[in-house]
Amino acid sequence: MAKTDYTIEAQQNLIKIVHYLATDVTRHATAGEIAEALEISKSKTMWTLHNLRERGWAEQSGDGWRLGVGIVKVAEAVRKGLTDTAQRYLGA
């Protein structure tokens, strides 16, 4: 039986871009730099960056992009959830 491939290119590009921007959160990378580094077309990179901006996960300054506060809120919720779970089950 063939294994189903559930990957979707647009979602994979989004994850790649978030990881790329996370490598240096103080640096503003241009869409062209991101596209070239990740081997994603510039148009797909721009679409993804604008979608990230809509949710607060990325912000634009001039022609550069970096992670936004929305992703920090997600990270904080995950951290809190993991801490609460560890305390509940491990007494940590």
Side-chain angles (χ1 to χ4, degrees), residues 9-90:
E9 180 187 14
Q11 292 175 354
Q12 293 301 311
N13 289 342
L14 183 140
I15 294 165
K16 288 176 188 177
I17 290 171
V18 168
H19 279 269
Y20 180 84
L21 293 175
T23 59
D24 184 352
V25 296
T26 61
R27 181 176 168 265
H28 287 76
T30 67
E33 291 170 326
I34 297 166
E36 184 177 335
L38 300 177
E39 298 180 344
I40 302 171
S41 74
K42 190 169 179 184
S43 64
K44 289 178 182 178
T45 299
M46 288 300 294
W47 280 68
T48 303
L49 288 166
H50 283 275
N51 277 278
L52 288 167
R53 184 179 64 194
E54 283 295 311
R55 303 306 289 174
W57 284 32
E59 58 185 33
Q60 186 177 17
S61 177
D63 66 345
W65 293 83
R66 67 178 180 182
L67 290 180
V69 296
I71 200 157
V72 175
K73 292 176 183 177
V74 171
E76 181 59 23
V78 170
R79 188 207 56 77
K80 184 180 180 329
L82 292 173
T83 299
D84 292 349
T85 301
Q87 288 175 344
R88 184 177 316 125
Y89 294 106
L90 304 175

